[in-house]
Amino acid sequence: METVERYIYAVARRLPAKAREEVAIELRGLIEDLLEEKVQGTQVSKEHVHSVLMELGDPEDLAREYGGESRYLIGPRLFDSYLKILKIVGPIVLSLVQLALVIKAFVAPTGLITFIAESISALFGAGMHVFFWVTVAFAIADHFGEEEELEAMGQKEWTPDLLPEIPDKQRQISISDPLLSIGLSILFLVMYVMPQRFGVFQIAGSVTTVIPVVNPETVRHFLPLFIGLVGISIVKEVWKLAKRVWSGQLAAVSLICNGIAVFLAYRLFANPAFWNPDFVTQLLGAHTTEASEMLANLWSLFTTRFIYGVVIVYVIDSLWVLYRGFFSEGHDDSEVELKP
């Protein structure tokens, strides 16, 4: 019956991924035995199911007996996903950072010791950013996700009526898109805090220089806003990975995050001080041609209109979130997929 499957889902989702399928099979057999004992040859009714589930108790308590959630910064319900994201996002970001450093070394050769020192410094910084932001986002999703469930119950005593719905397949969230967004967000943060290493490479004879796109003198000033923009983006994507299914609640959280992100993006990208005011001059040097004037006009257009592109992207994303969270409907009568 659907109520039984919802109960099994409520227990299994709080367990480590490797234990979910085994526990689900065991728990389903236990419930069937209890029902058989309860009905004594008669037809199983909703009242019988309700009585058996009340005997088993709150799925959260039963999950703890199976070795599930306790007091952790990131509980077993999300810990496997947390490790998976670290293992995927970490190498992606570190590989991209190292690739940029290798390209820079080719166009602007330095000593071996200098290259190694720069690589260690850049990779360590990028790795710390990955670990910090992914950990914080998962801790927030794990903690507040449980708080929201408790608030939704509206009462202290558990009953089968409070069991969560089993998510249908059409509303499930693919893991690839959030992972890509997390990796790019962390990469952009690393690039922003090191503007002298990531920019436009200019080669003049044997001399190679890096022309930063942003204003190096204002990096410290705008860094809190940039960290906030990256942080809210990571929190939104990790929340998707934690829930793994679209709902009105997830849509609301995503819309709030998008609203905050648009505000922070406007404070950043609409401010002329954010961009390198000498970018065109440094790029062209002393050359003053029609092409340089055109490039200067294009740079001015880019820096003043970039925020419009950002807003359009967030508006499209918000419309998609509204559709997926509130209007997209799907039906799936099959048993819940317990594998991650």
Side-chain angles (χ1 to χ4, degrees):
M1 296 180 68
E2 181 187 3
T3 306
V4 173
E5 294 303 323
R6 287 168 60 189
Y7 186 86
I8 295 172
Y9 166 73
V11 174
R13 72 187 185 126
R14 292 180 166 88
L15 300 173
K18 62 182 180 181
R20 291 174 190 170
E21 186 172 359
E22 180 180 351
V23 169
I25 295 174
E26 179 182 340
L27 184 55
R28 189 175 289 110
L30 174 62
I31 293 175
E32 290 174 356
D33 292 341
L34 292 174
L35 281 173
E36 185 177 347
E37 182 179 331
K38 179 78 66 175
V39 301
Q40 295 292 328
T42 61
Q43 186 175 2
V44 177
S45 65
K46 292 183 178 180
E47 288 73 21
H48 290 135
V49 174
H50 188 282
S51 176
V52 167
L53 297 184
M54 287 296 294
E55 291 179 12
L56 291 174
D58 192 329
E60 184 176 354
D61 296 333
L62 187 59
R64 290 197 185 98
E65 294 181 14
Y66 278 110
E69 294 184 60
S70 186
R71 294 186 178 272
Y72 303 98
L73 176 63
I74 300 173
R77 180 171 62 96
L78 298 180
F79 191 74
D80 291 288
S81 298
Y82 166 71
L83 289 180
K84 181 183 294 184
I85 290 174
L86 281 180
K87 292 177 182 179
I88 296 176
V89 175
I92 291 175
V93 173
L94 296 181
S95 298
L96 291 174
V97 171
Q98 187 61 58
L99 177 62
L101 292 172
V102 171
I103 294 174
K104 179 185 175 183
F106 271 106
V107 298
T110 58
L112 178 61
I113 296 178
T114 302
F115 173 74
I116 293 175
E118 288 184 350
S119 298
I120 292 175
S121 174
L123 292 174
F124 178 78
M128 290 301 296
H129 278 294
V130 171
F131 176 78
F132 175 79
W133 286 109
V134 173
T135 301
V136 168
F138 262 92
I140 292 174
D142 189 51
H143 175 72
F144 287 99
E146 291 301 308
E147 292 296 325
E148 289 167 359
E149 289 179 7
L150 293 176
E151 291 175 3
M153 290 181 181
Q155 53 183 327
K156 294 183 178 179
E157 183 179 358
W158 178 86
T159 68
D161 296 330
L162 300 175
L163 288 171
E165 296 289 340
I166 298 176
D168 59 79
K169 294 180 180 179
Q170 294 184 28
R171 297 173 73 94
Q172 291 180 359
I173 299 173
S174 171
I175 194 174
S176 58
D177 292 341
L179 284 177
L180 178 61
S181 297
I182 291 172
L184 290 176
S185 296
I186 296 174
L187 179 62
F188 289 149
L189 179 58
V190 173
M191 294 173 66
Y192 179 69
V193 298
M194 294 186 290
Q196 301 294 353
R197 295 183 181 179
F198 300 96
V200 177
F201 291 94
Q202 184 182 55
I203 303 175
S206 59
V207 180
T208 301
T209 57
V210 179
I211 302 174
V213 176
V214 300
N215 190 349
E217 297 180 359
T218 61
V219 167
R220 288 180 176 271
H221 174 74
F222 288 111
L223 186 57
L225 289 175
F226 204 92
I227 289 176
L229 177 61
V230 169
I232 200 69
S233 299
I234 293 176
V235 167
K236 182 183 72 172
E237 298 304 326
V238 171
W239 205 287
K240 291 180 184 178
L241 290 171
K243 297 300 182 181
R244 297 295 299 276
V245 62
W246 280 107
S247 64
Q249 180 190 83
L250 177 58
V253 171
S254 297
L255 290 173
I256 292 173
C257 290
N258 282 354
I260 297 173
V262 168
F263 171 76
L264 295 174
Y266 179 81
R267 295 289 304 276
L268 282 168
F269 305 132
N271 193 327
F274 177 82
W275 306 99
N276 182 3
D278 302 321
F279 177 79
V280 176
T281 303
Q282 294 173 358
L283 185 63
L284 297 176
H287 300 287
T288 56
T289 63
E290 292 183 2
S292 66
E293 293 179 4
M294 183 178 67
L295 183 58
N297 291 331
L298 289 175
W299 175 247
S300 176
L301 185 66
F302 172 79
T303 57
T304 55
R305 298 293 186 268
F306 183 79
I307 182 60
Y308 293 102
V310 173
V311 171
I312 290 173
V313 169
Y314 276 109
V315 168
I316 293 174
D317 182 68
S318 297
L319 292 174
W320 176 249
V321 164
L322 282 171
Y323 170 73
R324 295 292 288 166
F326 293 102
F327 303 108
S328 176
E329 295 183 358
H331 303 280
D332 182 15
D333 297 328
S334 62
E335 294 180 359
V336 63
E337 295 183 6
L338 297 171
K339 296 181 180 180

